Amino acid sequence: MFIEIDQADSTPLYLQLRNQIVAAIAAGELEPGDSLPSVRSLGRDLGINLHTVNKAYAVLRDEGYLLIRGRAGAQVAAPSRAGGERGAAGKRLEDGLLLLVQAHKAAGGERSDFEGAVRGVLDDVYQADRGDIR
Amino acid sequence: MSVSMVQSMFLAVLIAVVGATAAMTPWLMPATECFAVTVPAANVVDPRLHGLKRRYTVQVLIIIVVICAAMALPAVFSWDMTAALAYGIVLVTLSVALPFFLMLRYRGRVQEIKRSEGWRATGARKVAALGERELPRPASLRWELTHLAAAAVAAIIGWRLLPQMPARVPIHFDLTGAANGWVERGPLAALMPAGIVLLLGVFLAMAHLAIVRSKRPVVPGSLATSAWAYAVFARAQSLVLLATGALLDVCFMLIPLQMAGMIPLGSWIALILLAVAVALVPSAWIFVSLGQNGSRLAGHMASPDAEAGIPVDDDRFWHAGVFYANAADPAVVVPKRFGAGWTVNFARPATWAIIAALVLLIAAVMVISLAQ
């Protein structure tokens, strides 16, 4: 699977990396136990600062998506259900949703439109073909 | 056939092979890099660009043919060795410099076309492969350890043949083949061939390391194909490098036999020239059949769904088309933009540290050998 960054995009590079790795895990392109390239190797191939890659990996580790195993590098972590709804992941979900819903309502959007959009995205992600190459 | 004629012929063949490959270079680069200038995938088939590539190929071939013919002059007119050598050096330099200047001129033309057409980057998009285990990899660096075994063999052969070497072993020769530098028959004479194997091993290992640690290009319009094609290309080059090293190691292991008078110097020189020639052919073949970065393997052609515009434009980091200097890029080794193989990122301090270390190594070896 491939990771693509755009240095002309306003989103910070480390976030672009983080978002794509999360998307890959969600799509099943990266599975628990899969090794990610070393920080050096990914930085080389993308031509971006090693600190940026490091930061992306650190954020992913803190969010529970990656395990950093010293010399063995970064590995995709098995999803942890400990903490469930009240865990850090659950809080992040609520915070993120709050921002989106507020922006939608502030722009004059209807509740039903938002629900429709949510359903559409859920359908895309949860039914995504595992074999897709990005 | 005189020594000078053999040398001239060897040089002429070398120039012909390298020159013919150089003439084909524009066709062997990834299509979106025309004379080291990035062009949109959709405009790759522009007849103007095609015309520039064709003219370059024809002109380089003419230059090479003229130079090869000129190589015959020293033999035909029986020049002395020093003049012939100087002449040969000038011709070899021209065979590299002239195509380079031609490339610069055509690069300028492509830049003009690019400006007038307004071909611009739509972003600064870079792609890397995360699933590396499915791709072929360059040959393992561990193979470079065989040079240690070859050095050991060379040392053993040198030690066993020591009694058969003259009291003063010639190790430097002038252009006529007469000796002008000797070493006492002793440990240094026995170990010198092993030392050469180790020295060569260092340079070969560095070249191998460069392939392993290079930036691996992925083309945004054809991710899986370009990643796989590059992996095949890199692996093939690494295998040729290993084979070249093995061939040269065998030649150097035979040096003690030459020192003991069992092989004439002329024969040994012919052998190593043959080894170099043999080593060049597979490398040139990989370049011609696979294309730089495996681009011919991937069959990069403009297709209806090819990227409109340019995904990323790094032209400003490529000086004179061949010198890459990008301080923001952590990669020390990157694939060449015009030519076969890899080059270095001159904006990295590590690059200069490595160059300095290698230069110091060569200087140290020269000082030690001249002190004998």
Side-chain angles (χ1 to χ4, degrees), chain B:
Chain B
M1 202 182 267
S2 72
V3 175
S4 106
M5 274 193 74
V6 170
Q7 284 176 356
S8 295
M9 274 176 54
F10 171 77
L11 262 183
V13 168
L14 189 68
I15 290 174
V17 169
V18 174
T21 313
M24 290 193 275
T25 301
W27 309 99
L28 301 173
M29 293 298 111
T32 49
E33 287 168 12
C34 186
F35 291 103
V37 177
T38 308
V39 299
N43 298 101
V44 151
V45 289
D46 190 312
R48 290 170 296 180
L49 298 180
H50 245 251
L52 292 177
K53 290 182 185 177
R54 239 194 329 262
R55 293 219 293 274
Y56 175 89
T57 298
V58 166
Q59 287 167 352
V60 169
L61 283 175
I62 291 174
I63 290 170
I64 295 306
V65 164
V66 166
I67 289 180
C68 285
M71 287 298 308
L73 253 57
V76 164
F77 293 108
S78 301
W79 292 7
D80 72 73
M81 295 293 286
T82 320
L85 182 67
Y87 180 71
I89 289 174
V90 166
L91 283 186
V92 168
T93 309
L94 281 177
S95 74
V96 171
L98 291 175
F100 174 70
F101 287 121
L102 264 185
M103 182 275 289
L104 284 180
R105 188 210 284 177
Y106 286 116
R107 176 170 167 264
R109 300 259 170 87
V110 178
Q111 284 170 331
E112 279 167 25
I113 296 174
K114 184 175 178 179
R115 261 194 300 271
S116 69
E117 294 292 325
W119 291 335
R120 261 191 210 93
T122 53
R125 293 164 51 199
K126 316 268 181 76
V127 187
L130 285 192
E132 304 165 14
R133 60 192 178 283
E134 297 115 24
L135 294 171
R137 279 187 238 180
S140 167
L141 275 170
R142 292 215 185 94
W143 283 104
E144 297 294 334
L145 292 172
T146 54
H147 294 300
L148 292 176
V153 168
I156 290 169
I157 296 177
W159 175 64
R160 296 308 285 281
L161 289 180
L162 203 52
Q164 296 176 41
M165 296 185 196
R168 297 185 72 215
V169 187
I171 56 168
H172 282 136
F173 304 88
D174 67 20
L175 295 169
T176 65
N180 62 2
W182 294 262
V183 71
E184 299 292 317
R185 177 173 60 197
L188 196 62
L191 293 177
M192 200 191 74
I196 296 177
V197 168
L198 289 176
L199 185 65
L200 180 73
V202 166
F203 281 92
L204 288 171
M206 293 300 294
H208 193 167
L209 183 66
I211 297 178
V212 169
R213 293 277 165 87
S214 160
K215 175 196 295 286
R216 291 168 299 185
V218 178
V219 176
S222 57
L223 301 175
T225 319
S226 65
W228 169 79
Y230 174 80
V232 168
F233 174 77
R235 180 170 171 79
Q237 293 282 30
S238 71
L239 289 172
V240 165
L241 196 63
L242 283 179
T244 304
L247 207 56
L248 291 174
D249 278 347
V250 166
C251 289
F252 292 129
M253 281 193 262
L254 295 175
I255 288 181
L257 280 82
Q258 184 272 317
M259 287 162 102
M262 294 161 71
I263 299 178
L265 177 68
S267 302
W268 185 86
I269 288 181
L271 184 65
I272 198 143
L273 289 182
L274 188 65
V276 167
V278 164
L280 272 178
V281 169
S283 197
W285 175 249
I286 290 171
F287 181 46
V288 167
S289 61
L290 298 186
Q292 172 72 344
N293 300 344
S295 57
R296 278 174 58 88
L297 204 56
H300 287 295
M301 302 215 354
S303 55
D305 51 331
E307 293 275 332
I310 299 170
V312 60
D313 196 332
D314 280 347
D315 283 1
R316 64 193 177 284
F317 300 120
W318 286 92
H319 308 280
V322 295
F323 298 108
Y324 182 66
N326 183 354
D329 187 342
V332 170
V333 179
V334 301
K336 282 189 191 173
R337 261 218 182 173
F338 191 84
W342 293 263
T343 182
V344 292
N345 184 351
F346 287 100
R348 303 299 303 178
T351 305
W352 293 103
I354 294 168
I355 292 174
L358 291 175
V359 165
L360 278 174
L361 181 60
I362 297 175
V365 166
M366 283 175 63
V367 162
I368 290 172
S369 70
L370 284 173
Q372 296 309 313

Side-chain angles (χ1 to χ4, degrees), chain A residues 1-9 13 20-21 24 29-31 34-38 40-50 57 133-134, chain B residues 122-135 212-218 220 223-225 227 311-312 326 328-333:
Chain A
M1 76 119 330
F2 296 91
I3 204 158
E4 185 180 308
I5 51 123
D6 190 345
Q7 287 176 296
D9 195 288
L13 285 178
Q20 288 197 38
I21 291 175
E29 287 162 7
L30 284 174
E31 294 176 4
D34 282 353
S35 285
L36 287 179
S38 70
R40 275 190 190 281
S41 160
L42 192 54
R44 262 200 307 263
D45 289 342
L46 289 174
I48 60 176
N49 198 308
L50 299 184
Y57 278 18
I133 296 175
R134 275 172 48 88
Chain B
T122 53
R125 293 164 51 199
K126 316 268 181 76
V127 187
L130 285 192
E132 304 165 14
R133 60 192 178 283
E134 297 115 24
L135 294 171
V212 169
R213 293 277 165 87
S214 160
K215 175 196 295 286
R216 291 168 299 185
V218 178
L223 301 175
T225 319
V312 60
N326 183 354
D329 187 342
V332 170
V333 179

